[in-house]
Amino acid sequence: MFNTKDTGPVADAVKRHWVDTRLPPGLRPFARLARWERPIGWYLLMWPCLWSLALASNAAGAAIPNIWYAVLMFIGAVAMRGAGCTYNDIVDKDIDDKVERTRSRPIPSGQVSSKQAKIFMALQALAGLVVLLQFNTFTIVLGISSLAIVAAYPFMKRITDWPQFVLGLAFSWGALMGWAAVFGSLSLAPVLLYCGGILWTIGYDTIYAHQDKEDDALVGVRSTARLFGEKTRQALVILYGATVVLFAGAFIAAGSGPLAFAGLALGAFHLLNQIRVLDIDDGDQCLQLFKSNSTFGLILFIGLVLDGLATYYFHAYS
């Protein structure tokens, strides 16, 4: 499996990352397949999980989210994001070879074979399954249910202008998982959180997709970046605006307190600033704005955690 060829980092990866400087050369192509040198992907997969966990903890009257569950969700996000990226690269190997930003990825550049990639994907998926089995039965079934969406996503860019919507269905699934882990069921709050997460994902991945719009047009890849074009800023106002409204609805449904809404207000300002400064023809800026959505995720999570602490101690000492 480790008979690989290290031809160097992927073009848009973080420079001088430990993946490229400290890992043995034979392992580097696998780490690149999993995007370990680009943690933004698992950040964005993890935040809906942690939001949902914190929201459920608040609703259950706990001071802080379950730390063990949070650790499991972190490990699961890294493993399943890596498996998803590997699967995506296997499916897209011919397209990636035609796009400037992606032709240096491990499969099109010859660092690993498709067979090696499939074995690595299976190992990561197995790690994700081990994590999933630590939860209650409802959560396990819910997690497995997401695999159909994950499997369909790489093909969507070939048949619809809205592949970002399908990505949102997959990447926001954690908004259901955290609540399910605490209560063993779902209710209105996590469903609203999930819907908001979908719109948030469409927004940030539209920004990301503007990096590749010229190459995408040449090879026939479809995206919301190409669909919205010069009206991207207006589309983001709708997408991000609806995201904030749906998140507020989720907080209300869960009985969240003022600090959760303060975090949401600060997060809304962050999203508004993305829209304000966006230049869809500046690929480097688009990448940085895309990555900044992890800050949005952190802001919301901190607000929910602080709200849980404040509510718990208010009731404990009142």
Side-chain angles (χ1 to χ4, degrees):
M1 178 180 175
F2 300 113
N3 184 22
T4 59
K5 179 182 178 182
D6 181 13
T7 59
V10 177
D12 61 345
V14 176
K15 307 305 180 188
R16 302 296 299 169
H17 193 272
W18 61 265
V19 163
D20 301 311
T21 59
R22 297 189 179 182
L23 276 185
L27 296 179
R28 291 173 190 170
F30 294 106
R32 292 169 189 143
L33 271 177
R35 312 286 200 273
W36 289 351
E37 84 281 32
R38 282 176 281 183
I40 182 60
W42 59 256
Y43 287 153
L44 296 175
L45 188 60
M46 178 185 67
W47 285 127
C49 299
L50 296 186
W51 297 339
S52 184
L53 181 63
L55 195 65
S57 299
N58 292 0
I64 60 172
N66 185 302
I67 301 299
W68 173 237
Y69 286 173
V71 171
L72 288 174
M73 288 173 177
F74 161 71
I75 297 171
V78 174
M80 293 312 295
R81 187 265 184 144
C85 287
T86 305
Y87 172 67
N88 189 79
D89 283 7
I90 293 169
V91 173
D92 283 351
K93 59 182 180 180
D94 294 331
I95 291 177
D96 286 345
D97 192 44
K98 298 179 177 67
V99 176
E100 178 65 29
R101 187 178 60 84
T102 59
R103 63 169 53 106
S104 58
R105 286 179 176 175
I107 297 177
S109 65
Q111 296 185 33
V112 296
S113 67
S114 292
K115 180 179 179 180
Q116 290 172 319
K118 289 173 184 176
I119 294 171
F120 183 53
M121 178 186 69
L123 291 174
Q124 292 175 95
L126 180 61
L129 178 61
V130 170
V131 168
L132 185 60
L133 292 176
Q134 309 309 305
F135 294 102
N136 59 58
T137 301
F138 182 85
T139 306
I140 292 170
V141 173
L142 187 65
I144 292 173
S145 299
S146 69
L147 294 180
I149 300 170
V150 174
Y153 167 66
F155 301 98
M156 293 300 105
K157 64 176 69 74
R158 297 162 169 85
I159 62 176
T160 177
D161 292 327
W162 290 88
Q164 280 71 25
F165 171 71
V166 183
L167 181 69
L169 293 176
F171 257 61
S172 301
W173 200 260
L176 305 175
M177 297 289 287
W179 188 279
V182 173
F183 290 111
S185 63
L186 293 177
S187 66
L188 179 61
V191 171
L192 291 174
L193 191 69
Y194 178 57
C195 292
I198 293 169
L199 297 181
W200 175 55
T201 305
I202 296 172
Y204 69 61
D205 204 62
T206 296
I207 294 174
Y208 182 82
H210 270 289
Q211 298 176 91
D212 300 327
K213 58 192 173 187
E214 289 84 6
D215 285 336
D216 286 349
L218 290 174
V219 300
V221 169
R222 300 162 74 174
S223 70
T224 48
R226 293 186 60 201
L227 176 66
F228 299 153
E230 295 298 326
K231 295 183 179 179
T232 292
R233 184 174 279 108
Q234 294 92 315
L236 288 174
V237 169
I238 296 171
L239 290 165
Y240 281 166
T243 295
V244 172
V245 170
L246 286 165
F247 284 174
F251 292 3
I252 292 170
S256 298
L259 290 180
F261 288 95
L264 180 58
L266 187 59
F269 178 79
H270 179 88
L271 295 179
L272 181 62
N273 191 60
Q274 287 185 40
I275 298 170
R276 183 183 65 83
V277 303
L278 175 65
D279 179 356
I280 61 173
D281 295 318
D282 185 341
D284 291 338
Q285 190 221 41
C286 287
L287 180 60
Q288 292 307 311
L289 290 178
F290 162 75
K291 289 181 177 180
S292 77
N293 280 278
S294 185
T295 301
F296 172 79
L298 178 61
I299 291 169
L300 253 64
F301 181 63
I302 290 174
L304 287 166
V305 171
L306 291 178
D307 189 67
L309 284 167
T311 302
Y312 179 84
Y313 285 107
F314 174 80
H315 290 302
Y317 295 103
S318 61

PDB file of all heavy atoms in Angstrom, residues 257-279:
ATOM      1  N   GLY A 257     -30.487  31.153  25.927  1.00  0.00           N
ATOM      2  CA  GLY A 257     -30.505  32.444  26.593  1.00  0.00           C
ATOM      3  C   GLY A 257     -29.789  33.530  25.811  1.00  0.00           C
ATOM      4  O   GLY A 257     -29.358  33.324  24.668  1.00  0.00           O
ATOM      5  N   PRO A 258     -29.610  34.696  26.423  1.00  0.00           N
ATOM      6  CA  PRO A 258     -29.089  35.874  25.713  1.00  0.00           C
ATOM      7  C   PRO A 258     -27.671  35.727  25.181  1.00  0.00           C
ATOM      8  O   PRO A 258     -27.344  36.306  24.150  1.00  0.00           O
ATOM      9  CB  PRO A 258     -29.180  36.986  26.755  1.00  0.00           C
ATOM     10  CG  PRO A 258     -29.287  36.289  28.078  1.00  0.00           C
ATOM     11  CD  PRO A 258     -30.010  35.021  27.804  1.00  0.00           C
ATOM     12  N   LEU A 259     -26.817  34.982  25.865  1.00  0.00           N
ATOM     13  CA  LEU A 259     -25.444  34.874  25.388  1.00  0.00           C
ATOM     14  C   LEU A 259     -25.359  34.084  24.077  1.00  0.00           C
ATOM     15  O   LEU A 259     -24.490  34.360  23.241  1.00  0.00           O
ATOM     16  CB  LEU A 259     -24.560  34.226  26.449  1.00  0.00           C
ATOM     17  CG  LEU A 259     -24.276  35.081  27.685  1.00  0.00           C
ATOM     18  CD1 LEU A 259     -23.394  34.324  28.669  1.00  0.00           C
ATOM     19  CD2 LEU A 259     -23.616  36.400  27.286  1.00  0.00           C
ATOM     20  N   ALA A 260     -26.249  33.119  23.886  1.00  0.00           N
ATOM     21  CA  ALA A 260     -26.292  32.397  22.609  1.00  0.00           C
ATOM     22  C   ALA A 260     -26.655  33.342  21.481  1.00  0.00           C
ATOM     23  O   ALA A 260     -26.064  33.298  20.394  1.00  0.00           O
ATOM     24  CB  ALA A 260     -27.293  31.240  22.689  1.00  0.00           C
ATOM     25  N   PHE A 261     -27.628  34.214  21.734  1.00  0.00           N
ATOM     26  CA  PHE A 261     -28.038  35.174  20.707  1.00  0.00           C
ATOM     27  C   PHE A 261     -26.980  36.249  20.492  1.00  0.00           C
ATOM     28  O   PHE A 261     -26.823  36.754  19.377  1.00  0.00           O
ATOM     29  CB  PHE A 261     -29.383  35.801  21.095  1.00  0.00           C
ATOM     30  CG  PHE A 261     -30.530  34.845  20.963  1.00  0.00           C
ATOM     31  CD1 PHE A 261     -30.982  34.124  22.055  1.00  0.00           C
ATOM     32  CD2 PHE A 261     -31.156  34.649  19.730  1.00  0.00           C
ATOM     33  CE1 PHE A 261     -32.030  33.223  21.937  1.00  0.00           C
ATOM     34  CE2 PHE A 261     -32.205  33.757  19.599  1.00  0.00           C
ATOM     35  CZ  PHE A 261     -32.643  33.041  20.707  1.00  0.00           C
ATOM     36  N   ALA A 262     -26.239  36.583  21.543  1.00  0.00           N
ATOM     37  CA  ALA A 262     -25.131  37.533  21.378  1.00  0.00           C
ATOM     38  C   ALA A 262     -24.073  36.940  20.466  1.00  0.00           C
ATOM     39  O   ALA A 262     -23.518  37.629  19.593  1.00  0.00           O
ATOM     40  CB  ALA A 262     -24.537  37.880  22.743  1.00  0.00           C
ATOM     41  N   GLY A 263     -23.776  35.638  20.652  1.00  0.00           N
ATOM     42  CA  GLY A 263     -22.826  34.966  19.769  1.00  0.00           C
ATOM     43  C   GLY A 263     -23.327  34.938  18.341  1.00  0.00           C
ATOM     44  O   GLY A 263     -22.553  35.140  17.394  1.00  0.00           O
ATOM     45  N   LEU A 264     -24.622  34.702  18.167  1.00  0.00           N
ATOM     46  CA  LEU A 264     -25.195  34.683  16.825  1.00  0.00           C
ATOM     47  C   LEU A 264     -25.112  36.062  16.178  1.00  0.00           C
ATOM     48  O   LEU A 264     -24.820  36.177  14.977  1.00  0.00           O
ATOM     49  CB  LEU A 264     -26.649  34.214  16.893  1.00  0.00           C
ATOM     50  CG  LEU A 264     -27.397  34.140  15.560  1.00  0.00           C
ATOM     51  CD1 LEU A 264     -26.701  33.207  14.580  1.00  0.00           C
ATOM     52  CD2 LEU A 264     -28.846  33.690  15.787  1.00  0.00           C
ATOM     53  N   ALA A 265     -25.352  37.116  16.964  1.00  0.00           N
ATOM     54  CA  ALA A 265     -25.269  38.480  16.425  1.00  0.00           C
ATOM     55  C   ALA A 265     -23.839  38.791  15.978  1.00  0.00           C
ATOM     56  O   ALA A 265     -23.626  39.382  14.910  1.00  0.00           O
ATOM     57  CB  ALA A 265     -25.726  39.485  17.478  1.00  0.00           C
ATOM     58  N   LEU A 266     -22.865  38.387  16.786  1.00  0.00           N
ATOM     59  CA  LEU A 266     -21.466  38.608  16.410  1.00  0.00           C
ATOM     60  C   LEU A 266     -21.117  37.795  15.167  1.00  0.00           C
ATOM     61  O   LEU A 266     -20.412  38.280  14.271  1.00  0.00           O
ATOM     62  CB  LEU A 266     -20.564  38.218  17.576  1.00  0.00           C
ATOM     63  CG  LEU A 266     -19.072  38.524  17.426  1.00  0.00           C
ATOM     64  CD1 LEU A 266     -18.849  40.022  17.210  1.00  0.00           C
ATOM     65  CD2 LEU A 266     -18.304  38.044  18.668  1.00  0.00           C
ATOM     66  N   GLY A 267     -21.631  36.565  15.098  1.00  0.00           N
ATOM     67  CA  GLY A 267     -21.409  35.741  13.917  1.00  0.00           C
ATOM     68  C   GLY A 267     -22.044  36.352  12.675  1.00  0.00           C
ATOM     69  O   GLY A 267     -21.463  36.302  11.584  1.00  0.00           O
ATOM     70  N   ALA A 268     -23.234  36.940  12.835  1.00  0.00           N
ATOM     71  CA  ALA A 268     -23.908  37.581  11.708  1.00  0.00           C
ATOM     72  C   ALA A 268     -23.082  38.748  11.178  1.00  0.00           C
ATOM     73  O   ALA A 268     -22.991  38.970   9.954  1.00  0.00           O
ATOM     74  CB  ALA A 268     -25.289  38.061  12.131  1.00  0.00           C
ATOM     75  N   PHE A 269     -22.464  39.481  12.075  1.00  0.00           N
ATOM     76  CA  PHE A 269     -21.592  40.588  11.655  1.00  0.00           C
ATOM     77  C   PHE A 269     -20.407  40.058  10.854  1.00  0.00           C
ATOM     78  O   PHE A 269     -19.999  40.654   9.850  1.00  0.00           O
ATOM     79  CB  PHE A 269     -21.103  41.355  12.884  1.00  0.00           C
ATOM     80  CG  PHE A 269     -20.169  42.489  12.553  1.00  0.00           C
ATOM     81  CD1 PHE A 269     -20.656  43.693  12.080  1.00  0.00           C
ATOM     82  CD2 PHE A 269     -18.798  42.345  12.716  1.00  0.00           C
ATOM     83  CE1 PHE A 269     -19.790  44.743  11.764  1.00  0.00           C
ATOM     84  CE2 PHE A 269     -17.930  43.368  12.404  1.00  0.00           C
ATOM     85  CZ  PHE A 269     -18.436  44.582  11.928  1.00  0.00           C
ATOM     86  N   HIS A 270     -19.869  38.914  11.286  1.00  0.00           N
ATOM     87  CA  HIS A 270     -18.756  38.283  10.565  1.00  0.00           C
ATOM     88  C   HIS A 270     -19.186  37.901   9.142  1.00  0.00           C
ATOM     89  O   HIS A 270     -18.450  38.146   8.173  1.00  0.00           O
ATOM     90  CB  HIS A 270     -18.291  37.051  11.331  1.00  0.00           C
ATOM     91  CG  HIS A 270     -17.174  36.305  10.666  1.00  0.00           C
ATOM     92  ND1 HIS A 270     -15.846  36.601  10.868  1.00  0.00           N
ATOM     93  CD2 HIS A 270     -17.183  35.285   9.775  1.00  0.00           C
ATOM     94  CE1 HIS A 270     -15.095  35.802  10.141  1.00  0.00           C
ATOM     95  NE2 HIS A 270     -15.879  34.980   9.473  1.00  0.00           N
ATOM     96  N   LEU A 271     -20.364  37.310   8.998  1.00  0.00           N
ATOM     97  CA  LEU A 271     -20.864  36.932   7.671  1.00  0.00           C
ATOM     98  C   LEU A 271     -21.104  38.170   6.810  1.00  0.00           C
ATOM     99  O   LEU A 271     -20.813  38.164   5.605  1.00  0.00           O
ATOM    100  CB  LEU A 271     -22.158  36.131   7.810  1.00  0.00           C
ATOM    101  CG  LEU A 271     -22.048  34.770   8.509  1.00  0.00           C
ATOM    102  CD1 LEU A 271     -23.425  34.112   8.597  1.00  0.00           C
ATOM    103  CD2 LEU A 271     -21.069  33.853   7.779  1.00  0.00           C
ATOM    104  N   LEU A 272     -21.645  39.213   7.420  1.00  0.00           N
ATOM    105  CA  LEU A 272     -21.888  40.450   6.684  1.00  0.00           C
ATOM    106  C   LEU A 272     -20.590  41.036   6.157  1.00  0.00           C
ATOM    107  O   LEU A 272     -20.536  41.544   5.022  1.00  0.00           O
ATOM    108  CB  LEU A 272     -22.590  41.460   7.599  1.00  0.00           C
ATOM    109  CG  LEU A 272     -22.938  42.817   6.978  1.00  0.00           C
ATOM    110  CD1 LEU A 272     -23.925  42.638   5.823  1.00  0.00           C
ATOM    111  CD2 LEU A 272     -23.519  43.755   8.032  1.00  0.00           C
ATOM    112  N   ASN A 273     -19.535  40.934   6.942  1.00  0.00           N
ATOM    113  CA  ASN A 273     -18.237  41.456   6.501  1.00  0.00           C
ATOM    114  C   ASN A 273     -17.695  40.661   5.324  1.00  0.00           C
ATOM    115  O   ASN A 273     -17.053  41.228   4.427  1.00  0.00           O
ATOM    116  CB  ASN A 273     -17.240  41.439   7.653  1.00  0.00           C
ATOM    117  CG  ASN A 273     -15.977  42.198   7.323  1.00  0.00           C
ATOM    118  OD1 ASN A 273     -16.012  43.390   7.033  1.00  0.00           O
ATOM    119  ND2 ASN A 273     -14.846  41.506   7.338  1.00  0.00           N
ATOM    120  N   GLN A 274     -17.941  39.334   5.303  1.00  0.00           N
ATOM    121  CA  GLN A 274     -17.545  38.537   4.141  1.00  0.00           C
ATOM    122  C   GLN A 274     -18.194  39.076   2.873  1.00  0.00           C
ATOM    123  O   GLN A 274     -17.542  39.228   1.835  1.00  0.00           O
ATOM    124  CB  GLN A 274     -17.975  37.075   4.330  1.00  0.00           C
ATOM    125  CG  GLN A 274     -17.183  36.280   5.338  1.00  0.00           C
ATOM    126  CD  GLN A 274     -17.622  34.823   5.348  1.00  0.00           C
ATOM    127  OE1 GLN A 274     -17.890  34.246   4.303  1.00  0.00           O
ATOM    128  NE2 GLN A 274     -17.699  34.231   6.524  1.00  0.00           N
ATOM    129  N   ILE A 275     -19.482  39.345   2.962  1.00  0.00           N
ATOM    130  CA  ILE A 275     -20.224  39.857   1.801  1.00  0.00           C
ATOM    131  C   ILE A 275     -19.686  41.226   1.393  1.00  0.00           C
ATOM    132  O   ILE A 275     -19.511  41.520   0.204  1.00  0.00           O
ATOM    133  CB  ILE A 275     -21.724  39.950   2.128  1.00  0.00           C
ATOM    134  CG1 ILE A 275     -22.285  38.561   2.449  1.00  0.00           C
ATOM    135  CG2 ILE A 275     -22.495  40.583   0.974  1.00  0.00           C
ATOM    136  CD1 ILE A 275     -23.699  38.577   3.009  1.00  0.00           C
ATOM    137  N   ARG A 276     -19.409  42.071   2.378  1.00  0.00           N
ATOM    138  CA  ARG A 276     -18.975  43.440   2.114  1.00  0.00           C
ATOM    139  C   ARG A 276     -17.661  43.493   1.354  1.00  0.00           C
ATOM    140  O   ARG A 276     -17.506  44.293   0.418  1.00  0.00           O
ATOM    141  CB  ARG A 276     -18.843  44.206   3.446  1.00  0.00           C
ATOM    142  CG  ARG A 276     -18.472  45.674   3.285  1.00  0.00           C
ATOM    143  CD  ARG A 276     -18.306  46.326   4.648  1.00  0.00           C
ATOM    144  NE  ARG A 276     -17.191  45.770   5.389  1.00  0.00           N
ATOM    145  CZ  ARG A 276     -15.925  46.146   5.233  1.00  0.00           C
ATOM    146  NH1 ARG A 276     -15.601  47.061   4.322  1.00  0.00           N
ATOM    147  NH2 ARG A 276     -14.966  45.614   5.979  1.00  0.00           N
ATOM    148  N   VAL A 277     -16.701  42.653   1.722  1.00  0.00           N
ATOM    149  CA  VAL A 277     -15.366  42.760   1.131  1.00  0.00           C
ATOM    150  C   VAL A 277     -15.152  41.829  -0.061  1.00  0.00           C
ATOM    151  O   VAL A 277     -14.130  41.930  -0.749  1.00  0.00           O
ATOM    152  CB  VAL A 277     -14.277  42.475   2.187  1.00  0.00           C
ATOM    153  CG1 VAL A 277     -14.416  43.418   3.368  1.00  0.00           C
ATOM    154  CG2 VAL A 277     -14.313  41.014   2.648  1.00  0.00           C
ATOM    155  N   LEU A 278     -16.091  40.937  -0.338  1.00  0.00           N
ATOM    156  CA  LEU A 278     -15.891  39.901  -1.350  1.00  0.00           C
ATOM    157  C   LEU A 278     -15.552  40.465  -2.733  1.00  0.00           C
ATOM    158  O   LEU A 278     -16.235  41.355  -3.246  1.00  0.00           O
ATOM    159  CB  LEU A 278     -17.157  39.039  -1.461  1.00  0.00           C
ATOM    160  CG  LEU A 278     -17.149  37.968  -2.560  1.00  0.00           C
ATOM    161  CD1 LEU A 278     -16.076  36.913  -2.282  1.00  0.00           C
ATOM    162  CD2 LEU A 278     -18.524  37.312  -2.676  1.00  0.00           C
ATOM    163  N   ASP A 279     -14.503  39.915  -3.327  1.00  0.00           N
ATOM    164  CA  ASP A 279     -14.154  40.183  -4.718  1.00  0.00           C
ATOM    165  C   ASP A 279     -14.106  38.820  -5.415  1.00  0.00           C
ATOM    166  O   ASP A 279     -13.156  38.057  -5.250  1.00  0.00           O
ATOM    167  CB  ASP A 279     -12.797  40.880  -4.817  1.00  0.00           C
ATOM    168  CG  ASP A 279     -12.366  41.153  -6.262  1.00  0.00           C
ATOM    169  OD1 ASP A 279     -13.089  40.731  -7.196  1.00  0.00           O
ATOM    170  OD2 ASP A 279     -11.297  41.775  -6.448  1.00  0.00           O
TER     171      ASP A 279
END
